Amino acid sequence: MKRKWMFTFILLIVGFMVAVQYNTVQQPEERDTRDLWAIRNELAKERKLHSELLTEVRELDKTLGKYNSSEGENAGRALADTLHGLRQQAGMIDQSGPGILIDVVPSEESMAFGTPLHEVSPELLTRFVNDVNRFKGIDMEIDGKRVTALSAIRDINGETTVNGLPVSLPPFQIKILSADLGSSEKLYNFLQSSSILDDFYLDDFVLEISQPETNVTINGRIDKFENRFLKELPKEG
C-alpha cells in the first residue's frame, strides 16, 4: 500500500512538470517584434548615453587629479573652480552667449474673438522644455525664471509656476542659450518645424521665435537650494 502511494505521488510530480513544460512551450515569452531600424535607434540612444557617462567620468577624474596634485593655494583654486562649475550647472549664476529669444503671445484669432486671456498650462510648458532638452548643452529661462534639471513646472493654487514662482500671463519671453551659434541655428530650425507650435496654437498662443543672436543673457536662479543631506565637518583644532 505504501509503495502504491509513493508511486502515485511520483506520477503526480511528473505530470505537474510535464504540464508546466507544455504550458511554457505553448505560451512563450513575448518576442521583440521591433524592426531593424527601431533596434538601431535604441542602440544609438544607448551609445549616446554611454558616451555622455564616459565624458562625465573623465571630467570627475580630471577634477580628482587636480585635488591630488594641488597643495595649499592651488588646492583652494581647484576647489573654487569646481564650485563655480557646480553653481553654473545648477543655474545659480547669470550666463551670456549665443541663443534665441521666443515671445509667447496670444494668437490673433483669440484676440479678435475676444477670448479671455489665460495662462500657459504647466503641461504645455513641460512639453516645450522636454522638446528643447533634446539638444544638449543648453540653458533656458522662462519669464525670468531659470530652468534647470531640478526645476519644477507645476500648478500651485491655480497658477502656473516655475521653481515655485508664478509665470506671467502672455506675453512673456523665453530665452535659450546654446554652446555656439551653429547649435542655436539648429535649435531654431527644429522649433520652426516642431509640432509644439501647433500645441501652443491650439491653446490660443503663438511662439514668435527670433533669429539666432550672438549675445543673449539669462539670469541665475534667485531661489536658494535647500541642503538636507550635506553637513560641514568640524574644523580640526
Side-chain angles (χ1 to χ4, degrees):
M1 187 68 179
K2 186 176 180 181
R3 289 183 178 180
K4 184 177 180 180
W5 281 109
M6 288 182 64
F7 182 71
T8 303
F9 181 70
I10 293 173
L11 285 179
L12 284 173
I13 294 176
V14 173
F16 176 75
M17 294 176 65
V18 171
V20 170
Q21 184 176 7
Y22 177 80
N23 188 57
T24 303
V25 172
Q26 292 299 317
Q27 299 179 1
E29 294 183 2
E30 184 177 353
R31 297 177 59 187
D32 192 341
T33 57
R34 295 177 297 176
D35 60 20
L36 181 60
W37 286 109
I39 296 176
R40 281 175 176 268
N41 289 335
E42 193 68 26
L43 180 59
K45 291 179 182 178
E46 293 299 327
R47 285 182 173 176
K48 185 177 181 181
L49 177 61
H50 182 254
S51 176
E52 291 173 356
L53 291 175
L54 285 178
T55 301
E56 291 184 13
V57 170
R58 292 192 191 100
E59 290 297 324
L60 292 174
D61 285 342
K62 190 184 299 183
T63 302
L64 184 60
K66 287 182 181 179
Y67 290 149
N68 291 335
S69 60
S70 300
E71 296 182 0
E73 185 177 336
N74 291 332
R77 183 177 302 172
L79 181 60
D81 291 342
T82 302
L83 180 60
H84 179 78
L86 292 174
R87 288 174 60 86
Q88 186 172 0
Q89 290 181 22
M92 298 180 69
I93 59 177
D94 297 349
Q95 284 186 259
S96 298
I100 58 176
L101 305 176
I102 303 173
D103 291 308
V104 183
V105 300
S107 66
E108 293 183 2
E109 290 80 3
S110 66
M111 296 178 65
F113 286 110
T115 303
L117 191 60
H118 59 90
E119 296 178 328
V120 178
S121 68
E123 294 78 16
L124 187 55
L125 272 185
T126 301
R127 202 177 312 157
F128 172 83
V129 171
N130 290 339
D131 260 13
V132 172
N133 278 334
R134 296 180 184 183
F135 293 79
K136 300 298 181 182
I138 65 169
D139 295 283
M140 191 185 318
E141 174 188 290
I142 297 178
D143 189 31
K145 289 85 176 170
R146 187 67 172 270
V147 178
T148 67
L150 300 177
S151 295
I153 302 175
R154 57 169 63 101
D155 183 296
I156 299 179
N157 297 327
E159 288 186 315
T160 299
T161 64
V162 175
N163 301 329
L165 302 173
V167 177
S168 305
L169 290 174
F172 63 82
Q173 195 169 71
I174 298 174
K175 300 179 181 180
I176 305 176
L177 298 187
S178 301
D180 50 56
L181 194 58
S183 299
S184 293
E185 291 174 351
K186 290 180 181 178
L187 177 59
Y188 171 82
N189 293 329
F190 168 78
L191 289 175
Q192 288 289 352
S193 59
S194 174
S195 61
I196 195 66
L197 298 178
D198 297 327
D199 294 335
F200 271 83
Y201 186 76
L202 290 174
D203 268 15
D204 298 322
F205 303 113
V206 174
L207 296 183
E208 297 179 348
I209 307 171
S210 74
Q211 290 285 340
E213 301 182 12
T214 56
N215 189 28
V216 175
T217 301
I218 61 177
N219 300 317
R221 292 183 61 147
I222 60 175
D223 57 316
K224 295 183 178 180
F225 290 101
E226 180 184 356
N227 180 18
R228 295 181 295 170
F229 304 104
L230 298 178
K231 293 183 180 179
E232 184 177 359
L233 292 175
K235 296 182 178 180
E236 296 181 359

